[in-house]
Amino acid sequence: MAITTWVQAAGTVLLGLVGLWFAHNYRRQIRLKLAERQVEAYARLWALTAPAVPFRATPLEPAELKKLHDDMGKWYFDDGDGILTSAAARDLFVGVHGNLVCPIGAMKPAVLAAQLTALSPADAERRRGCAIVRQVSLLRTQLKKDLAMHLGVDYYTDLQPDDRAFLVSCGLSPRRRPWRPRWLRPADRPHVDSCVCGGCPAKVSPDAGHPEF
């Protein structure tokens, strides 16, 4: 009788362990499939933000901003790729997406909106087109971090004050990676002017992070 009870108990434990193994293996397969889909989704978002490359010589035009807004919205909602974003990437995406076409006074961060509302409409839109280039670059940097690929080349020497404020307005800390500055920087990295409108405030924060292409 004792032997039978022991065998039953051992069988129960064994079945439990087998069930746990199958459950773990199933979850692992699901995570791998989702990781593959995330890479594909991020690659599509990377491609459609091509107009906002950091080595542009001019700010984004209003028509480009509207098209980018529509393309990003389709990527997030219609294609369902937004469900695969990390929390940080989602928050940056929402911030960038809103800034593309919202009223100047509603842009993030509030300090940038205040600066732009003090300008003429034409100058404000020009500044918007300049700021968006940098903000999209911040989003792409987060995509790379999510995929553990944050090993690229620094394209901006440091962030503008409103870029740091933009990160904060999206719930991110500019003192955490990937925004925290690196101790070692390639001496021959390409230099790209982070202002292409001629109206951005001077850089005043030497310990800022580095958005990447």
Side-chain angles (χ1 to χ4, degrees):
M1 191 68 178
I3 295 177
T4 301
T5 302
W6 183 88
V7 170
Q8 290 176 343
T12 300
V13 172
L14 180 61
L15 288 175
L17 292 174
V18 171
L20 288 174
W21 181 85
F22 275 110
H24 172 75
N25 191 53
Y26 174 77
R27 287 194 295 269
R28 180 174 177 274
Q29 292 180 22
I30 292 297
R31 285 196 298 269
L32 289 174
K33 290 180 180 179
L34 288 176
E36 292 175 357
R37 287 194 58 196
Q38 186 185 52
V39 171
E40 295 171 356
Y42 278 18
R44 286 191 288 270
L45 179 57
W46 186 285
L48 67 87
T49 61
V53 291
F55 45 78
R56 279 183 66 108
T58 59
L60 286 163
E61 298 290 338
E64 293 178 296
L65 295 174
K66 178 62 167 62
K67 184 178 187 305
L68 186 56
H69 176 271
D70 294 345
D71 290 345
M72 289 177 68
K74 182 178 186 301
W75 175 87
Y76 194 93
F77 294 105
D78 295 354
D79 297 338
D81 288 332
I83 199 172
L84 300 170
T85 58
S86 68
R90 179 200 62 219
D91 292 343
L92 277 173
F93 179 96
V94 171
V96 171
H97 190 246
N99 278 353
L100 289 167
V101 297
C102 71
I104 290 294
M107 289 188 68
K108 290 184 176 181
V111 63
L112 176 63
Q115 293 170 3
L116 268 57
T117 53
L119 303 175
S120 68
D123 288 341
E125 285 299 333
R126 185 172 175 81
R127 274 284 306 280
R128 185 212 295 260
C130 183
I132 288 296
V133 172
R134 300 194 307 272
Q135 291 174 4
V136 170
S137 188
L138 297 178
L139 173 60
R140 282 194 294 256
T141 298
Q142 183 63 50
L143 300 183
K144 292 178 67 176
K145 180 179 183 296
D146 289 352
L147 301 179
M149 296 172 59
H150 192 262
L151 299 173
V153 178
D154 293 336
Y155 276 82
Y156 294 156
T157 55
D158 56 12
L159 298 182
Q160 297 282 5
D162 53 89
D163 295 329
R164 292 168 61 82
F166 175 71
L167 291 173
V168 173
S169 73
C170 293
L172 304 178
S173 171
R175 296 191 178 277
R176 294 179 178 272
R177 291 185 178 181
W179 324 114
R180 192 171 62 195
R182 298 174 180 174
W183 291 102
L184 297 176
R185 305 177 185 177
D188 59 344
R189 71 171 182 264
H191 173 74
V192 175
D193 189 354
S194 58
C195 173
V196 291
C197 67
C200 298
K203 302 169 188 174
V204 296
S205 180
D207 62 339
H210 308 278
E212 297 183 6
F213 172 58

